[in-house]
Amino acid sequence: MKAPVKKIGLGILKWGGIAIASILLLMFLIPLVFPGTIAQQVKVFANKSLDGELNFTNSKLSFFTHFPSLTVSLDKLSLKGSAPFKDEILLSAEEVAFGINLKRLIFDNEIKIDEIYVSDALINVIVDENGQANYNVYISEDNQPKDTLATGPAIRLDRVDLKNCHIKYNDKSAKTFVEAKGFNYVGRGNLSEDVFDLRTDAQIDAVDFYYDKVPYLEKKEIHADLITRINTNALSFILKKNELRINRLPVEFTGVFTMLKEGYNIDLKAASTNTKFKDIFSALPPQYLTWMDNTKIEGKSDLLFTFKGRYNAATNQQPDLGFHFTVKDGFINYKEAPVSMSNLQMDLNAMMPGLDIEKLNVDLKKFDFRLGNKDFFNAFVKIKGFSEMAVKAQIKGSLDLKELDNTLGLQNLDLKGILKTDIVADGVYNADKKLFPKTKGGVNLQNGWFKTSHYPNPITDIMFVANVQNDKGTFDDIKIVVSPASFVFEGNPVYVNATVSNFEDVDYDAKIKGELNIGRIYKVFAQKGLEVTGYAKADLSLKGRQSYATSGQYSKLNNKGTLLIKDIKTTSEFFPKPFYIHEGDFTFHNEKLKFEKFDAAYGKSDFAINGYLLNTINYFFEPKATLKGSFNVKSKLINVDEFMALKEGENKDMKPAVEEAKETHPKMSGVVVLPTNLNVSLTANADKVEYNGLVLNNLGGKVSVEKGKLHLQNGNFNIIDCRVGLDASYDDESPMAANFTAHFTAKDFNVKRAYKEIPLFRELVTSAGKAEGIISVDYKLKGDLDGNMGPIYPSLSGGGTVNVRDVKVSGLKLFGGVGDKMGSDGLKNPDMKDIDIKTTIDRNLIHIEEFVFKVAGFRPKIKGTTSFDGLLDIRIRLGLPPLGIIGVPIVVTGSQENPKIKIFSKTGDKIDEAEYNEKTNQVIKKETRMEEPEKKE
């Protein structure tokens, strides 16, 4: 019996070996047999099915890249998005591989893609304000033209595998930004079915989630194990199995998500029920994780997040957002501190229907805790609405801040002092209606002490007693008393006593005295990436009413004192760079804040200022108030380019509109944005002004800034050794657009230098490149500026006179062509003297009024139209010697580089004039026939 068994065993090994060898042989041969076919099919698929630019460096077919699947791999692949993001990368990856169905390939010679593998990729999803997305690159079969001859692969996915991907989702229409790094994902299911279950296993190393630029998750590790039922007909997703873990916090998801033609419907709930209170902290930013290891945390918590409703950008529909959080029997003790925070109870509900901040509803029903045996804190706050906010709140507590610091283990912060608070508020806040909740209570801090790890010395001896009272619920009944407020820093005491009442017509009485090294005190509160230095010394006594200043009753004011600052760095939301105040010496006298001495710098620019401001008190209390003033300004250099709103700079606190424009137009510098709450006149003298490549010397004039508009009167400056007079106005419409008016005069300047050194002159007088000599200009112009502070030529309109005193034209093809046609060399390079050329500009066209000059015995009479694009429609009557009584009609069309000259012709050509929309800054070309042919003389 042994022999047959042995024989059978050898047979099995033999045939098994042959089978394995055959399989291995096929695994090597199939990629050699089919590579051309598959590569060709991939190209067909890309051209037929993708509305986006696809590039890759190399393709290969192998069983071993993603064993045992047969895959076609594309190395270093990049795919650009769909309109309007065709220049933006949607996907870039080291490798994208498509799994091929082997059975279909061998027996049917059909390419069926049933797996996709993506590794080391950037997936960059963008949705603009109108809901247009860059991911609509796949052309569905329903939208493709019927082509019975075309062949290509079909996609019926059973597996999606993403490895080490970086995903960015920026949806401006929903104000949502999500970024995931180290994204690993495996999705399995019969994706070829209309309805199927997708099994998902995802691991993400770090996730950031922002809504309206506010971070809600930062660098969170997430693991997801989900089963999602997907209906491809309705494009709906139903969460069945829903286990998610954010760091150590378990979360269960339930809900339905359905894609619609415009937007989506969603009903999503994320809950963490009866969870350990400690696990909530694991979802906080990473810097808290070390703190958790040294802290005893007890208690139970519930967390519920809801997102329900329809999203449609076109109709401005938004889902409802809800949040609920509770803590029961909370306990916190850091490093076995002698006193613990105990009996922590919290119940918070928040709703934002339709993601509308005006419908915000926050209900903090309870926030209570005890600190040791005697200290306590109790609060409830209820808020409804935003612009008109209904408020009901009660806050009461007595805390030893040193014990609180020790118990919580506050990082990088040391506190001391006894803090007591007792505030009750009930009513409505509405600034426009002058409503303020009925309020009574105060805050009392004694023997305060404050120190951070950023600076070795503390702020000590902090005393702060403030009381607020409002019995009527209106602005005119508010009374706030701060008496006293004081502290000591670096041995320098600062004292403040203030009473402020009647916010409808603010009645103030304040005394401020002390000096501070601002650079050092800033280091106490230092933030990464910012640096502030400087010194301030104040001795101020301010007393009066807001209306005294606004109504001109200055004698009733009693504002006096001095303020000295040195080496201050400050930023403004309007400008990309900080201002540096080297020294500022200010004096208060009733309504005036005098600038006795003020030296400042901005980028390369410098300013020496003296003068005064009015309405400073009203400006401080009223956000819409306007500062008024008059100044003398001297400067060695003003670099206008550095003031442009989108220029790269240090300021991280720009206006939201500026930040939005910077994201949308990354390659533009922006225009100069002016504050709207200034009414200031300046007598300016600048040795040098730099703007868009121009250098203006010895600039002087009267400048006024009012309601966001700038006016220059009697301005004058030197450029190319010529004195230029200028009256102008400027108004920014947005961070990307502005308009201007200008009237400039210049006498006896060199044409050749102007063409080389002044870009605007080069564009307005293109033929000046072939001229040499002296001219004068008197011209008025108005128009719009683009996002680089350059003129939008179709928007320009105006007119004026160019006086040609003595100019020689050499090599201009227009005159050269006329000279050739007439057989006269004298016409080719004419000398032009004492000629006034009047022109008007409108819709991208320059209209030339008729002018006459003498050259080589001829009397040319010229008029017509040119465009900023270089097109010509010029009419010439060439008066023949000796007196020009007999004339030859000539028409010049074409372009300046290629003029078309017709002798004995009076029929011109068409030039496109531009239709310009001032509201949208859009240019629309339309055809129009220029001047009618000349009548016979």
Side-chain angles (χ1 to χ4, degrees):
M1 294 293 293
K2 291 183 178 180
V5 172
K6 181 177 181 182
K7 186 176 180 180
I8 292 170
L10 290 173
I12 292 172
L13 290 174
K14 175 183 176 181
W15 290 106
I18 292 172
I20 292 172
S22 299
I23 292 171
L24 291 174
L25 181 62
L26 282 173
M27 294 177 75
F28 281 102
L29 289 179
I30 287 175
L32 298 177
V33 173
F34 291 98
T37 301
I38 292 178
Q40 180 63 32
Q41 297 301 325
V42 169
K43 291 179 182 178
V44 170
F45 165 73
N47 292 329
K48 181 181 177 184
S49 303
L50 295 180
D51 179 23
E53 182 182 335
L54 177 70
N55 293 296
F56 53 89
T57 59
N58 185 38
S59 64
K60 59 187 176 183
L61 187 65
S62 173
F63 278 99
F64 301 102
T65 304
H66 296 280
F67 185 83
S69 298
L70 173 63
T71 58
V72 56
S73 301
L74 308 178
D75 295 338
K76 297 190 182 302
L77 179 140
S78 68
L79 173 63
K80 292 186 178 179
S82 55
F85 301 100
K86 285 186 175 292
D87 294 328
E88 299 283 347
I89 290 292
L90 170 63
L91 169 66
S92 64
E94 285 295 310
E95 179 197 60
V96 175
F98 301 94
I100 308 298
N101 185 294
L102 188 59
K103 179 181 176 182
R104 292 284 187 91
L105 177 65
I106 295 174
F107 295 105
D108 300 330
N109 196 29
E110 178 187 350
I111 310 300
K112 181 183 177 232
I113 297 172
D114 55 13
E115 298 176 344
I116 288 183
Y117 301 86
V118 180
S119 60
D120 298 312
L122 168 64
I123 301 171
N124 182 35
V125 178
I126 306 173
V127 183
D128 67 14
E129 296 88 343
N130 300 317
Q132 299 181 95
N134 69 334
Y135 53 75
N136 296 316
V137 294
Y138 181 67
I139 303 173
S140 65
E141 293 181 4
D142 292 339
N143 295 329
Q144 293 184 43
K146 299 297 182 181
D147 185 358
T148 57
L149 299 178
T151 59
I155 295 183
R156 297 289 187 270
L157 296 178
D158 298 323
R159 179 185 177 98
V160 177
D161 194 324
L162 308 180
K163 182 179 179 182
N164 192 30
C165 294
H166 179 189
I167 297 177
K168 294 171 70 176
Y169 176 83
N170 188 0
D171 188 341
K172 292 182 180 178
S173 66
K175 301 180 182 179
T176 301
F177 177 79
V178 181
E179 184 171 21
K181 296 180 179 179
F183 184 88
N184 297 278
Y185 169 91
V186 177
R188 305 178 191 87
N190 189 359
L191 279 66
S192 62
E193 299 293 333
D194 292 338
V195 180
F196 61 90
D197 288 342
L198 176 65
R199 293 167 176 80
T200 297
D201 185 11
Q203 178 71 37
I204 309 173
D205 293 342
V207 172
D208 293 340
F209 173 77
Y210 287 72
Y211 176 74
D212 202 13
K213 298 186 179 181
V214 176
Y216 290 90
L217 288 178
E218 288 188 296
K219 297 181 180 178
K220 293 289 160 267
E221 181 182 349
I222 291 181
H223 177 76
D225 185 8
L226 309 173
I227 297 178
T228 306
R229 174 151 292 178
I230 299 176
N231 185 331
T232 59
N233 291 323
L235 277 180
S236 66
F237 305 83
I238 302 173
L239 295 173
K240 295 176 64 180
K241 181 183 177 182
N242 38 57
E243 297 174 2
L244 187 71
R245 186 171 293 274
I246 305 174
N247 287 359
R248 293 203 295 260
L249 178 66
V251 180
E252 290 188 0
F253 275 90
T254 57
V256 179
F257 178 84
T258 303
M259 293 293 296
L260 305 175
K261 183 179 180 180
E262 294 179 345
Y264 54 80
N265 263 335
I266 191 169
D267 185 357
L268 180 67
K269 293 182 180 179
S272 183
T273 307
N274 201 25
T275 305
K276 292 181 179 179
F277 183 39
K278 185 170 186 176
D279 290 341
I280 295 289
F281 287 89
S282 73
L284 295 176
Q287 58 265 35
Y288 293 97
L289 300 182
T290 303
W291 172 83
M292 285 179 56
D293 294 336
N294 297 298
T295 306
K296 184 178 180 181
I297 304 173
E298 296 177 352
K300 292 290 184 178
S301 65
D302 291 332
L303 180 67
L304 175 64
F305 170 89
T306 61
F307 198 44
K308 182 178 181 179
R310 178 170 178 170
Y311 168 73
N312 187 322
T315 58
N316 201 29
Q317 287 179 277
Q318 302 271 19
D320 300 334
L321 179 67
F323 179 77
H324 177 64
F325 179 55
T326 63
V327 178
K328 297 178 182 178
D329 302 322
F331 176 92
I332 300 176
N333 182 276
Y334 179 74
K335 285 188 175 180
E336 299 182 351
V339 171
S340 301
M341 177 182 286
S342 61
N343 198 27
L344 173 59
Q345 311 290 335
M346 183 175 179
D347 189 347
L348 171 65
N349 279 288
M351 283 292 297
M352 192 186 297
L355 295 178
D356 186 352
I357 191 69
E358 295 298 336
K359 298 178 181 178
L360 177 67
N361 193 334
V362 177
D363 187 3
L364 179 61
K365 295 180 180 179
K366 181 186 296 186
F367 181 52
D368 301 341
F369 64 85
R370 299 199 65 83
L371 192 64
N373 295 321
K374 60 178 181 176
D375 287 355
F376 69 95
F377 185 84
N378 306 121
F380 82 83
V381 178
K382 190 171 184 177
I383 296 172
K384 188 174 183 179
F386 190 76
S387 297
E388 181 163 308
M389 183 183 294
V391 178
K392 191 170 185 178
Q394 182 172 337
I395 302 171
K396 189 172 184 178
S398 176
L399 298 172
D400 185 326
L401 296 183
K402 182 177 181 181
E403 299 290 2
L404 180 67
D405 187 356
N406 292 335
T407 298
L408 298 181
L410 299 179
Q411 303 295 298
N412 304 319
L413 180 64
D414 288 329
L415 296 174
K416 294 179 183 178
I418 304 300
L419 175 66
K420 294 184 179 181
T421 181
D422 188 355
I423 299 175
V424 177
D426 188 0
V428 175
Y429 174 82
N430 186 310
D432 294 331
K433 297 179 180 179
K434 308 296 183 182
L435 299 176
F436 194 90
K438 295 179 180 180
T439 307
K440 184 177 182 179
V443 177
N444 189 321
L445 175 61
Q446 299 294 318
N447 300 317
W449 192 91
F450 181 90
K451 181 182 179 299
T452 71
S453 61
H454 304 292
Y455 193 74
N457 298 326
I459 301 173
T460 64
D461 300 317
I462 303 172
M463 305 283 285
F464 183 80
V465 179
N467 289 283
V468 58
Q469 185 164 345
N470 186 317
D471 297 326
K472 293 168 54 179
T474 56
F475 267 33
D476 61 2
D477 197 46
I478 301 173
K479 185 175 183 179
I480 300 173
V481 179
V482 179
S483 179
S486 62
F487 64 89
V488 177
F489 181 68
E490 295 281 14
N492 296 318
V494 175
Y495 302 97
V496 177
N497 283 279
T499 299
V500 182
S501 61
N502 187 7
F503 275 36
E504 194 165 338
D505 179 14
V506 179
D507 191 338
Y508 58 90
D509 184 357
K511 293 180 174 60
I512 307 167
K513 187 173 183 178
E515 57 184 282
L516 283 176
N517 186 315
I518 296 175
R520 291 181 180 178
I521 199 169
Y522 178 78
K523 289 179 180 179
V524 175
F525 308 94
Q527 296 183 20
K528 186 178 180 180
L530 295 177
E531 181 180 355
V532 176
T533 59
Y535 167 86
K537 182 178 181 180
D539 188 355
L540 300 173
S541 177
L542 309 173
K543 187 175 183 179
R545 281 192 176 182
Q546 186 178 359
S547 60
Y548 294 164
T550 56
S551 62
Q553 302 178 69
Y554 303 129
S555 61
K556 294 183 178 181
L557 295 172
N558 187 16
N559 300 323
K560 57 186 178 181
T562 59
L563 175 65
L564 175 66
I565 58 176
K566 288 185 178 181
D567 301 324
I568 299 292
K569 174 184 177 182
T570 182
T571 59
S572 166
E573 60 183 358
F574 298 99
F575 303 115
K577 291 179 178 290
F579 286 88
Y580 291 89
I581 304 173
H582 302 304
E583 184 174 1
D585 193 349
F586 307 95
T587 302
F588 271 93
H589 181 68
N590 289 343
E591 80 280 12
K592 284 187 178 180
L593 172 61
K594 291 185 178 180
F595 286 55
E596 303 287 352
K597 183 179 181 182
F598 187 88
D599 294 325
Y602 176 88
K604 297 177 183 177
S605 305
D606 64 90
F607 307 91
I609 301 173
N610 62 70
Y612 63 86
L613 280 176
L614 299 175
N615 204 34
T616 51
I617 299 298
N618 188 41
Y619 178 79
F620 178 80
F621 288 113
E622 175 56 57
K624 297 180 182 179
T626 299
L627 272 177
K628 302 177 182 179
S630 179
F631 296 95
N632 293 310
V633 181
K634 293 184 178 180
S635 174
K636 295 179 181 178
L637 170 65
I638 299 175
N639 188 325
V640 177
D641 297 341
E642 292 182 321
F643 288 84
M644 295 179 186
L646 308 191
K647 280 281 189 181
E648 288 299 323
E650 302 171 44
N651 190 6
K652 308 301 181 184
D653 190 24
M654 303 294 286
K655 291 188 73 178
V658 175
E659 282 296 324
E660 184 70 23
K662 195 169 185 177
E663 292 177 10
T664 310
H665 306 278
K667 296 182 180 180
M668 288 192 173
S669 60
V671 302
V672 176
V673 178
L674 298 175
T676 57
N677 55 351
L678 284 182
N679 185 357
V680 176
S681 63
L682 312 169
T683 301
N685 289 280
D687 294 343
K688 182 186 290 187
V689 176
E690 296 178 355
Y691 163 58
N692 256 358
L694 291 177
V695 177
L696 314 179
N697 295 303
N698 300 319
L699 173 68
K702 183 89 170 179
V703 180
S704 63
V705 178
E706 183 177 2
K707 296 181 180 178
K709 297 180 181 180
L710 180 146
H711 302 275
L712 172 64
Q713 294 177 315
N714 301 321
N716 54 85
F717 55 88
N718 287 333
I719 186 171
I720 59 169
D721 297 329
C722 172
R723 196 67 180 167
V724 176
L726 177 63
D727 290 318
S729 66
Y730 171 88
D731 182 14
D732 61 278
E733 301 166 4
S734 74
M736 294 304 303
N739 63 70
F740 75 97
T741 65
H743 178 199
F744 49 90
T745 58
K747 189 174 182 180
D748 297 340
F749 69 87
N750 188 295
V751 175
K752 191 172 185 178
R753 283 194 63 187
Y755 185 85
K756 287 182 178 180
E757 299 179 28
I758 306 176
L760 183 58
F761 180 81
R762 187 161 56 244
E763 297 290 345
L764 292 175
V765 192
T766 53
S767 58
K770 306 295 184 181
E772 191 171 345
I774 303 299
I775 68 173
S776 298
V777 175
D778 187 342
Y779 221 88
K780 292 181 179 180
L781 203 60
K782 67 178 182 177
D784 287 354
L785 301 174
D786 63 19
N788 284 317
M789 283 285 283
I792 300 174
Y793 290 102
S795 75
L796 299 181
S797 63
T801 301
V802 177
N803 175 263
V804 180
R805 195 180 81 181
D806 188 1
V807 172
K808 181 176 180 61
V809 179
S810 301
L812 187 65
K813 291 183 179 181
L814 186 153
F815 286 123
V818 172
D820 288 337
K821 293 282 186 180
M822 299 301 298
S824 172
D825 291 338
L827 287 172
K828 293 183 179 180
N829 300 303
D831 288 328
M832 306 174 71
K833 295 183 180 180
D834 299 322
I835 303 170
D836 285 338
I837 303 175
K838 296 182 179 181
T839 63
T840 58
I841 294 174
D842 185 38
R843 298 185 180 184
N844 208 45
L845 302 179
I846 305 168
H847 303 286
I848 305 166
E849 294 186 20
E850 187 175 85
F851 68 93
V852 182
F853 64 98
K854 297 178 183 179
V855 56
F858 294 92
R859 293 174 182 265
K861 184 185 291 185
I862 300 175
K863 66 177 181 178
T865 302
T866 70
S867 76
F868 287 113
D869 303 319
L871 301 179
L872 302 175
D873 184 20
I874 303 296
R875 319 298 169 83
I876 302 175
R877 180 193 181 278
L878 189 61
L880 302 178
L883 300 176
I885 297 174
I886 301 174
V888 177
I890 301 172
V891 170
V892 183
T893 59
S895 66
Q896 292 187 21
E897 290 301 316
N898 185 24
K900 298 176 182 179
I901 300 168
K902 295 181 284 186
I903 305 295
F904 297 106
S905 175
K906 296 181 180 180
T907 303
D909 207 345
K910 292 181 180 179
I911 298 181
D912 288 340
E913 92 178 0
E915 189 72 28
Y916 179 70
N917 189 322
E918 294 182 359
K919 293 182 179 180
T920 62
N921 297 111
Q922 290 182 335
V923 178
I924 304 172
K925 288 285 186 76
K926 75 173 187 178
E927 283 193 340
T928 181
R929 183 173 293 279
M930 306 314 297
E931 298 174 0
E932 292 297 321
E934 284 185 347
K935 295 181 179 179
K936 292 183 180 180
E937 298 181 9

